[in-house]
Amino acid sequence: MTQDAVKAIYSWQFYNCVKLWVLAVCQHKAELVLLINPIVQLMIGVIKLTKNVKYFPFHVKIFQLLTLINKQTNDFIPIAQYLLYPFDLQASNYLNQKSKALEDKIMPETLVSLKIAKKHIDTSEMKDRIVQEALDELLLYYAANSRQIGFPEMVIGTQIILKKFKKSTKSSSYRQLVQTFLDHLDKHSQAVLAKRISIKMKLASENLPRIA
């Protein structure tokens, strides 16, 4: 797909249209249940168009909408990988590259932008924001799926990518942020595993033959 085509899709007009449909299916799940899957597939297709980090703000917005559908419908949507690409060393070494000095006093908030300006993209301030926002959104996504019985298996891919990034990065603040995030995942995974074991033991005891 050409760059112009990507720009046409990564627009406020497209985002607001998709957001309207997402809010509609979340509010009227029973009546619009058949639209959920097509809308999810559309958004996943859009977020997969490019991994160029300059479109990170747009990716975050689409990811938030997917998380909202996931939470409101209780249907698990595997989308963590679409917000992990800045940390994926095989896809990009963006966060480990040398940073440039910030020329402006402030940068536009991600909330009011769809892409990162060229003069901001390689600054340490922008990289810090991307790391923090990606981890925040992933935490909200996993919180929405925290009651899934397969939670420990669900987070394995994320753990692998973030552990590799943590090992390679020279930034102590990134290592701390990633480790805190990983600790949250590990703590909940252990809690789910313990619950699964207790349920399994209970079922086993109920199925034991009884002596008359």
Side-chain angles (χ1 to χ4, degrees):
M1 182 172 286
T2 65
Q3 192 64 23
D4 289 339
V6 172
K7 288 180 181 179
I9 296 173
Y10 281 31
S11 63
W12 282 112
Q13 182 180 12
F14 181 89
Y15 168 72
N16 286 325
C17 287
V18 172
K19 183 179 179 180
L20 180 63
W21 278 108
V22 169
L23 294 176
V25 298
C26 287
Q27 190 169 357
H28 304 283
K29 295 188 288 289
E31 298 90 340
L32 302 176
V33 64
L34 295 179
L35 290 178
I36 294 176
N37 187 62
I39 291 172
V40 168
Q41 293 303 317
L42 172 64
M43 287 191 288
I44 289 177
V46 166
I47 209 171
K48 288 169 63 178
L49 283 178
T50 177
K51 289 185 177 180
N52 192 324
V53 75
K54 75 176 182 180
Y55 291 114
F56 179 78
F58 185 86
H59 292 156
V60 167
K61 289 176 174 60
I62 298 298
F63 189 89
Q64 289 171 337
L65 295 179
L66 286 164
T67 300
L68 179 62
I69 291 180
N70 190 151
K71 182 178 180 180
Q72 294 297 323
T73 63
N74 293 318
D75 291 332
F76 171 60
I77 307 173
I79 54 172
Q81 66 270 31
Y82 303 124
L83 213 58
L84 282 168
Y85 66 91
F87 304 99
D88 190 349
L89 301 177
Q90 293 182 344
S92 168
N93 200 35
Y94 165 70
L95 293 174
N96 288 333
Q97 293 175 354
K98 186 177 179 180
S99 300
K100 297 179 181 179
L102 178 65
E103 298 176 358
D104 300 342
K105 291 184 179 181
I106 58 173
M107 293 185 297
E109 292 293 330
T110 306
L111 181 67
V112 296
S113 59
L114 293 181
K115 69 177 183 178
I116 302 170
K118 187 175 181 180
K119 62 181 177 180
H120 295 147
I121 199 167
D122 291 319
T123 63
S124 59
E125 288 82 2
M126 181 54 70
K127 291 179 181 180
D128 292 348
R129 180 183 293 182
I130 287 173
V131 170
Q132 185 66 65
E133 291 190 6
L135 294 177
D136 286 347
E137 293 302 328
L138 284 166
L139 193 62
L140 291 173
Y141 167 71
Y142 282 124
N145 290 288
S146 60
R147 298 178 68 86
Q148 295 280 350
I149 194 169
F151 185 89
E153 291 76 23
M154 184 191 306
V155 301
I156 290 176
T158 298
Q159 290 172 322
I160 291 173
I161 290 175
L162 290 181
K163 284 178 180 177
K164 287 182 179 179
F165 172 77
K166 176 174 169 284
K167 186 176 181 180
S168 70
T169 183
K170 297 178 181 178
S171 171
S172 58
S173 62
Y174 292 172
R175 286 195 297 270
Q176 184 176 359
L177 285 170
V178 169
Q179 187 58 55
T180 300
F181 177 83
L182 289 171
D183 288 343
H184 283 302
L185 293 188
D186 187 61
K187 182 178 180 181
H188 190 68
S189 293
Q190 294 302 320
V192 173
L193 285 171
K195 188 67 174 178
R196 277 163 39 173
I197 291 172
S198 67
I199 293 173
K200 186 176 180 180
M201 292 177 63
K202 182 179 180 181
L203 291 174
S205 65
E206 290 177 352
N207 291 329
L208 285 175
R210 297 186 179 184
I211 301 175

